[in-house]
Amino acid sequence: MLNRLKATLTDFIQQADLMLLALCCTATLYGIVLVFSATRYLDPDVGRRRMIIQSAALVLGVCVYIFFSMLDLESITRKWKWVLAFNIVFILLLRTPFGVSGNTGNRAWLKFPGIPFQIGPAEVVKISFVLLLAKQIEWLWEEKGDLKSFPSAVFVAAHTFGLCGLYFLVSHDMGNALVFLFIFLCMAFVAGFALRWFLLFFAAGGGVFALAWKLDLIYPYMKKRFIVLFDHSFEPLITGWQQTRSLLAIGSGGLFGQGYLNGSQTQSSSTSLPAKQTDLIFAVAGEELGLFGCIAIMALLALIIFRILLVARKARTPFYRYVCVGMVSILIFQTVINIGMCLFVMPTIGITLPFFSYGGSSIVTLYMAMGVVSGIKKRSPDMRRVSRSPLR
């Protein structure tokens, strides 16, 4: 048993993507430092407890990273019916007694007895959705030899909109529902779907959004979150409060910040800078560590994204390449939306900053996704010989 474990770890060290793992761990450790500062204002013990939970999630995440680096993705996707059934059932669990509602009424979390943390089904389903969509695109190319026709576009879009629509109807969580759409767009673009279908998608999406707005089919609190982007004076103490305080915190940090554990808003009540350990963790960095602290966050995330794209370029098969693109699209979407929320240029839709925001299940599932990428690198040619060919 010990010899087998030793052999497995040796194989992992020799072939897995240790550089990607190191970057992820560095980002998570930085996040743990910020989470401690963001939560100690209540009580130093609360900050330490949150830090311990996040650290435990990091350790578990590394173990998950190792495990998923070893998995054979193609054998999993051959059982695509079971994976699809898992996605549907896991989402529908939100409507059982295990489902938990948030402050805005979004039923986006599961709480199981005996488990000390909540689980977001969207976090897990995003990964299995990427695998299924990659397999679907690969099948279309191998069986039909055509990704530009209307039936091919509809075939892939139906899967995406079906899952996205189901999740939104069950949870009312617009943020994570949009992640599924962004994954679909990125993977379809890289696969080579015709540009006319993207133009049709954006035109139809804009039309549907405008019609829904006109007919008052959008929840009032969602409409207000869009209105406040274009009119910062609209409900500054209600709808715009969170982003106004975030912008003030970042601006007050200057180049070098007010000092770690010394941020005037970070170290005051939770109403001064709401959701500071989750949605607004970037604002905490801006206030206490300044512009350089924010640049460090963006640099780490950019390096992780670049590393995944590097693996994608060297991927052995189109299927592996699509999976990498799907995983990197999750990071890009969450990073852009979260930082945009903090800078008051994106609507508040409850998207956390990857690797930095507080949340055990989020950290573990991110390492799960990165482990999948590591497994692709392990099964690809030597990463030291970087291909100059484009992704597409």
Side-chain angles (χ1 to χ4, degrees), residues 266-278:
T266 300
Q267 302 306 321
S268 60
S269 68
S270 59
T271 56
S272 178
L273 187 61
K276 63 184 77 174
Q277 72 270 26
T278 51

Side-chain angles (χ1 to χ4, degrees), residues 68 71 87 119 129 141 147 149 184-185 203 260 306 315 322 329:
F68 274 80
L71 288 184
N87 288 348
I119 299 173
F129 170 70
W141 176 250
L147 294 176
S149 66
F184 158 70
L185 289 173
Y260 183 61
F306 176 77
Y322 302 149
S329 66

Side-chain angles (χ1 to χ4, degrees), residues 176-197:
N176 278 308
L178 291 175
V179 177
F180 289 109
L181 291 181
F182 189 76
I183 292 170
F184 158 70
L185 289 173
C186 291
M187 293 177 67
F189 178 77
V190 169
F193 280 75
L195 291 179
R196 60 180 176 273
W197 305 131

Side-chain angles (χ1 to χ4, degrees), residues 57 109 117-120 123-124 359-366:
W109 298 94
F117 54 85
Q118 297 177 353
I119 299 173
E123 303 292 341
V124 179
S361 64
S362 175
I363 292 294
V364 173
T365 50
L366 280 169

Side-chain angles (χ1 to χ4, degrees), residues 147-222:
L147 294 176
K148 298 183 181 296
S149 66
F150 182 71
S152 295
V154 169
F155 182 59
V156 177
H159 174 202
T160 302
F161 286 109
L163 192 68
C164 177
L166 174 66
Y167 177 75
F168 181 74
L169 289 174
V170 170
S171 68
H172 297 166
D173 178 9
M174 181 176 66
N176 278 308
L178 291 175
V179 177
F180 289 109
L181 291 181
F182 189 76
I183 292 170
F184 158 70
L185 289 173
C186 291
M187 293 177 67
F189 178 77
V190 169
F193 280 75
L195 291 179
R196 60 180 176 273
W197 305 131
F198 292 96
L199 295 176
L200 179 62
F201 171 84
F202 286 113
V208 169
F209 181 81
L211 183 62
W213 187 283
K214 186 72 173 177
L215 298 176
D216 288 327
L217 298 178
I218 300 175
Y219 294 109
Y221 76 89
M222 289 185 181

Side-chain angles (χ1 to χ4, degrees), residues 88-133:
I88 295 172
V89 171
F90 205 38
I91 290 173
L92 291 176
L93 281 176
L94 290 170
R95 283 299 160 182
T96 69
F98 299 118
V100 178
S101 298
N103 295 330
T104 60
N106 294 345
R107 200 176 179 87
W109 298 94
L110 294 172
K111 177 61 177 174
F112 295 106
I115 298 179
F117 54 85
Q118 297 177 353
I119 299 173
E123 303 292 341
V124 179
V125 171
K126 279 184 285 190
I127 298 172
S128 50
F129 170 70
V130 167
L131 299 180
L132 284 183
L133 197 62

